[in-house]
Amino acid sequence: MSLTRQDRLQALGLWPIWRLRTATPVEPELAVEHPLAESSAALTAASNMPAAVIEEARLRVETEVAAPLRPALERPPASVGSDAIETMDWAALNAAIRDCRRCELAKTRTQAVPGVGDIHAEWLFVGEAPGANEDRQGEPFVGDAGQLLDAMMAAIGLARGRNVFIANVLKSRPPGNRDPKPEEVATCMPYLERQIELIQPKLIVALGRFAAQNLLATDTPIGKLRGQVHRYRGVPLVVTYHPAYLLRNPLDKAKVWEDLVLARRTMNELKQ
Ligand code: URA
């Protein structure tokens, strides 16, 4: 039996998750409904977005954006330095990430995971590090947390690869999904910094404590970082809980919904 994305989220008790009261979630005026309420008359375009639409967007990105970057265009030396990363174009940057040997994680990973999506995206979602599924498939957020991230994005009218880029702080999987070490972050961060420079997103959504604290260079707890618009090098940044955390703590859906609404409202204001 082949399960749809909705089937799997339902099995996890996470579908439907959030609904916008308006039929067009991308409209500037967001009418917010409590995420746990079941009384909404209209399921929105976001929560109804067919899996096929998301899949089509994913395929488009895979063929039009990711695949052309994959061939060995320019293979930089394995010990590429941070200075070199600062001036790389997309092709060189992706090749450098895939070949990276700058830390010990290169020895245990299956493959590096540079990121996926529209390289001119207005939205950038940043997670922590690849897990087992991502390490196997070479794409960020493809496991259960990834399905939840897709649902989170759909709730505010976004779909993977459509005006969205998804990346992680670390490009290689820490073995056993252990926490990244500070030296690994320091070594890997130049890749994300360069990705952000190249993408020039209008808004960054930091998924979880780890992404938030590293992008904002702070050790403030995530609970205090939520609920406001920060800046990363001038780019507005909204913090929310990591989807993997949310899978374990579904009662925090309401907080994540608030964060997503803040992100959507901020983007709408930026575009006025
Ligand atoms: N968790 C992350 O932070 N990133 C992924 O790509 C997958 C799970």
Side-chain angles (χ1 to χ4, degrees), residues 127-131 134 139-142 145 168 242:
E128 178 174 322
E134 292 75 23
E139 180 175 329
F141 285 100
V142 291
N168 284 309
H242 193 286

Coordinates of all heavy atoms in Angstrom, one line a residue, residues 127-131 134 139-142 145 168 242, ligand 1:
G127 N 17.6 24.7 8.9 CA 17.5 23.7 10.0 C 18.9 23.5 10.6 O 19.8 24.3 10.4
E128 N 19.0 22.3 11.2 CA 20.2 22.1 12.0 C 21.2 21.3 11.2 O 22.3 21.8 10.9 CB 19.8 21.3 13.3 CG 20.9 20.9 14.2 CD 20.4 20.2 15.4 OE1 19.4 20.6 16.0 OE2 21.1 19.3 15.9
A129 N 20.9 20.1 10.9 CA 21.9 19.2 10.2 C 21.1 18.1 9.6 O 20.1 17.7 10.0 CB 22.9 18.7 11.2
P130 N 21.7 17.5 8.5 CA 21.0 16.3 7.9 C 20.9 15.2 8.9 O 21.8 15.0 9.8 CB 22.0 15.9 6.8 CG 22.9 17.0 6.6 CD 23.0 17.8 7.9
G131 N 19.8 14.4 8.9 CA 19.6 13.2 9.6 C 19.9 12.0 8.7 O 20.5 12.2 7.6
E134 N 18.2 12.3 5.2 CA 18.9 13.3 4.4 C 20.2 12.9 3.9 O 20.7 13.1 2.8 CB 18.9 14.6 5.2 CG 17.6 15.2 5.5 CD 16.8 14.5 6.6 OE1 17.4 13.8 7.4 OE2 15.5 14.7 6.6
E139 N 19.2 15.4 0.3 CA 18.3 16.5 0.3 C 17.9 16.8 1.7 O 17.6 15.9 2.5 CB 17.1 16.2 -0.6 CG 16.1 17.4 -0.6 CD 15.0 17.2 -1.6 OE1 15.2 16.5 -2.6 OE2 13.9 17.7 -1.3
P140 N 17.8 18.1 2.1 CA 17.4 18.4 3.5 C 15.9 18.1 3.7 O 15.1 18.2 2.8 CB 17.6 19.9 3.6 CG 17.9 20.4 2.3 CD 18.1 19.3 1.4
F141 N 15.6 17.7 5.0 CA 14.2 17.6 5.4 C 13.4 16.7 4.5 O 12.4 17.1 3.9 CB 13.5 18.9 5.6 CG 14.0 19.7 6.8 CD1 14.9 20.7 6.7 CD2 13.5 19.4 8.1 CE1 15.4 21.4 7.8 CE2 13.9 20.1 9.2 CZ 14.9 21.1 9.1
V142 N 13.8 15.4 4.4 CA 13.0 14.4 3.6 C 12.4 13.4 4.5 O 11.6 12.5 4.0 CB 13.9 13.8 2.5 CG1 14.3 14.8 1.4 CG2 15.1 13.1 3.1
A145 N 10.3 14.7 9.9 CA 10.4 16.2 10.2 C 10.2 17.0 8.9 O 9.6 18.1 8.9 CB 11.7 16.5 10.8
N168 N 20.6 23.7 5.8 CA 20.9 23.4 7.2 C 22.2 24.2 7.6 O 23.0 24.6 6.7 CB 21.2 21.9 7.4 CG 19.9 21.1 7.4 OD1 19.0 21.4 8.2 ND2 19.9 20.1 6.6
H242 N 11.8 23.6 15.8 CA 12.2 22.7 14.8 C 11.1 21.6 14.6 O 10.5 21.2 15.6 CB 13.5 21.9 15.3 CG 14.1 21.2 14.2 ND1 13.6 20.0 13.7 CD2 15.3 21.4 13.5 CE1 14.4 19.5 12.8 NE2 15.4 20.4 12.6
Ligands
URA1 N1 16.6 18.1 10.7 C1 17.3 19.1 10.2 O1 17.6 20.1 11.0 N2 17.6 19.1 9.0 C2 17.3 18.2 8.1 O2 17.6 18.3 6.9 C3 16.6 17.1 8.6 C4 16.2 17.0 9.9

